[in-house]
Amino acid sequence: MSLEEVKKRFVEEIKLRAYDDKYIDKNEEREILQQAIQMGVSVDSARGALAQVCESNGYVVESRVLSQIKDIIDTFAGNDGHIDEKEFKDAITTCEKACQGKRTHVQCAKMVIQVIEDNSYKVKSGGWFHSDWYAKAKHDAGMA
């Protein structure tokens, strides 16, 4: 198989995975990259091609969204070492924009919570006389 045929097949594979929802989740991305390796394409080249194809076709790549969420939460936590409720809601809004409407509010909240949990960020609770907004957010997202 020529290099041009490999490229064409790889692009078609990406389009096929994103055909129904215009969204490449982590599992689909892993499968695409595995197929690229089987075709003799390096992981770095495959990631670059994936990003380029998704960009030109308006597809959302979940790993890029998660990276954006982590960056914004890093920034928020850098201020005082904690994530407060407003910053949490801002991160969800950022996620919703990055997902271009391809994920619901609850799905975006789950993604933000997952980033917070995976990276052991501290969450600023409401205090003695306020509700624990983070526990409620986890409950509302079906993660409590």
Side-chain angles (χ1 to χ4, degrees), residues 120-144:
S120 303
Y121 289 108
K122 292 183 173 91
V123 179
K124 190 180 286 183
S125 66
W128 285 62
F129 301 107
H130 296 51
S131 66
D132 185 355
W133 64 266
Y134 188 66
K136 181 178 179 340
K138 285 176 69 170
H139 178 270
D140 291 349
M143 297 179 77

Side-chain angles (χ1 to χ4, degrees), residues 71-83 87-88 90-91:
D71 288 347
I72 196 166
I73 291 176
D74 273 343
T75 302
F76 291 155
N79 294 336
D80 61 1
H82 293 85
I83 305 299
E87 292 166 336
F88 175 77
D90 288 348

Side-chain angles (χ1 to χ4, degrees), residues 4-143:
E4 203 54 44
E5 289 171 322
V6 169
K7 285 181 183 178
K8 184 176 180 183
R9 184 167 168 215
F10 185 66
V11 168
E12 291 304 314
E13 184 65 35
I14 295 168
K15 288 180 178 179
L16 178 67
R17 298 288 178 158
Y19 176 76
D20 58 340
D21 60 358
K22 310 278 190 254
Y23 189 90
I24 303 287
D25 66 26
K26 290 186 298 186
N27 293 330
E28 290 171 326
E29 181 177 1
R30 186 181 65 249
E31 291 169 4
I32 289 168
L33 295 175
Q34 285 174 340
Q35 287 191 337
I37 291 168
Q38 291 172 354
M39 289 187 264
V41 178
S42 73
V43 174
D44 290 338
S45 295
R47 282 188 197 280
L50 176 65
Q52 188 176 18
V53 170
C54 290
E55 178 92 18
S56 65
N57 289 289
Y59 302 156
V60 175
V61 181
E62 185 175 85
S63 62
R64 292 186 79 187
V65 173
L66 290 170
S67 179
Q68 285 179 285
I69 293 169
K70 185 177 181 322
D71 288 347
I72 196 166
I73 291 176
D74 273 343
T75 302
F76 291 155
N79 294 336
D80 61 1
H82 293 85
I83 305 299
D84 65 28
E85 185 174 12
K86 182 192 178 312
E87 292 166 336
F88 175 77
K89 288 179 179 179
D90 288 348
I92 293 172
T93 300
T94 299
C95 181
E96 289 172 334
K97 286 179 184 177
C99 287
Q100 301 171 12
K102 306 208 174 20
R103 290 294 175 256
T104 66
H105 179 79
V106 171
Q107 289 170 319
C108 287
K110 282 182 181 182
M111 290 170 72
V112 171
I113 291 167
Q114 196 62 54
V115 168
I116 289 170
E117 303 278 321
D118 288 351
N119 294 282
S120 303
Y121 289 108
K122 292 183 173 91
V123 179
K124 190 180 286 183
S125 66
W128 285 62
F129 301 107
H130 296 51
S131 66
D132 185 355
W133 64 266
Y134 188 66
K136 181 178 179 340
K138 285 176 69 170
H139 178 270
D140 291 349
M143 297 179 77

